[in-house]
Amino acid sequence: EADIYQTPRYLVIGTGKKITLECSQTMGHDKMYWYQQDPGMELHLIHYSYGVNSTEKGDLSSESTVSRIRTEHFPLTLESARPSHTSQYLCASSEPGNQPQHFGDGTRLSIL
Amino acid sequence: GENVEQHPSTLSVQEGDSAVIKCTYSDSASNYFPWYKQELGKGPQLIIDIRSNVGEKKDQRIAVTLNKTAKHFSLHITETQPEDSAVYFCAASGTGNQFYFGTGTSLTVIP
């Protein structure tokens, strides 16, 4: 059913490693988002994009970075992972304007 | 910016009973209010939404009401079933097209 895919689903990795979380959507949506969510808790927007070559920071400060070179792809990178980065990361996309967001199933990240 | 509050944080109901989840928002410019259901290990899925030009919307057992004057909107689930058990999030979006989410309600339907 989902047309938005996140990989990996789970990642356990040591401190200091560089991590890239992948997000791809096949719906041709211009808008894409990254949220951070502790399980079952509130979603916090960390990055969003209005289209190719557009990236903006969200309300929650994050040490991660994003890129949007292609419409369908919106990867998130942590240059040096720390235990405080342990969380679930959700990617979403939507059509322009106030339209429903479509979410991926998330990446559960654990930094040791 | 927008502030969305959601209550209750947890809700338990007997199967067949109704469940109501309420949200308030602060920005009068918000004009789109989706509701999402998140099951364990999954991303949030849209279950119903409402725009500011409508006061109520219904889809089978699920309905949403919006009171623009009071800046609150509610999710109503009737004839609850065990598969309705999940975490539900409300959200509000306005002219900036960013979505502001509530803190979630964990609904448990007891068979």
Side-chain angles (χ1 to χ4, degrees):
Chain A
E1 175 183 287
D3 296 316
I4 181 162
Y5 306 96
Q6 291 187 243
T7 57
R9 287 296 316 278
Y10 304 92
L11 180 61
V12 180
I13 201 165
T15 298
K17 300 291 186 182
K18 180 179 179 179
I19 300 166
T20 297
L21 308 184
E22 302 288 349
C23 177
S24 295
Q25 50 98 2
T26 59
M27 297 170 282
H29 288 166
D30 284 328
K31 294 176 72 175
M32 296 189 74
Y33 314 79
W34 276 103
Y35 291 90
Q36 186 172 338
Q37 182 193 33
D38 290 328
M41 303 294 283
E42 184 177 2
L43 281 74
H44 296 281
L45 181 67
I46 50 175
H47 297 284
Y48 60 100
S49 166
Y50 287 122
V52 171
N53 294 326
S54 153
T55 61
E56 303 285 345
K57 287 188 179 294
D59 295 332
L60 181 67
S61 175
S62 174
E63 294 166 343
S64 58
T65 59
V66 291
S67 63
R68 190 85 185 276
I69 298 171
R70 303 198 316 264
T71 298
E72 62 271 21
H73 198 212
F74 191 39
L76 180 145
T77 298
L78 281 163
E79 289 294 332
S80 180
R82 296 209 301 263
S84 60
H85 297 141
T86 294
S87 189
Q88 174 165 252
Y89 293 83
L90 289 165
C91 181
S93 72
S94 70
E95 294 180 3
N98 277 329
Q99 298 298 327
Q101 293 182 312
H102 298 255
F103 284 86
D105 284 334
T107 293
R108 184 81 54 94
L109 180 62
S110 294
I111 310 299
L112 305 178
Chain B
E2 174 68 279
N3 181 44
V4 177
E5 295 189 358
Q6 182 172 345
H7 300 280
S9 57
T10 60
L11 179 60
S12 291
V13 299
Q14 290 291 136
E15 182 177 358
D17 287 351
S18 295
V20 180
I21 302 170
K22 299 182 179 182
C23 288
T24 61
Y25 61 100
S26 60
D27 188 353
S28 57
S30 289
N31 56 18
Y32 176 61
F33 307 92
W35 284 89
Y36 292 88
K37 175 184 181 182
Q38 187 175 26
E39 297 176 325
L40 200 62
K42 301 269 192 177
Q45 299 294 314
L46 179 76
I47 55 171
I48 196 166
D49 57 7
I50 191 167
R51 299 187 184 273
S52 58
N53 58 347
V54 174
E56 184 174 358
K57 185 176 178 181
K58 194 172 181 180
D59 182 4
Q60 298 183 354
R61 298 186 296 109
I62 296 173
V64 56
T65 58
L66 172 64
N67 183 326
K68 284 182 60 179
T69 304
K71 297 199 193 74
H72 68 72
F73 56 113
S74 300
L75 178 71
H76 305 253
I77 306 173
T78 59
E79 301 171 26
T80 53
Q81 300 166 5
E83 51 265 39
D84 294 330
S85 296
V87 180
Y88 291 81
F89 292 94
C90 64
S93 180
T95 54
N97 294 162
Q98 282 195 46
F99 287 83
Y100 296 88
F101 285 82
T103 49
T105 296
S106 179
L107 173 65
T108 301
V109 179
I110 304 165

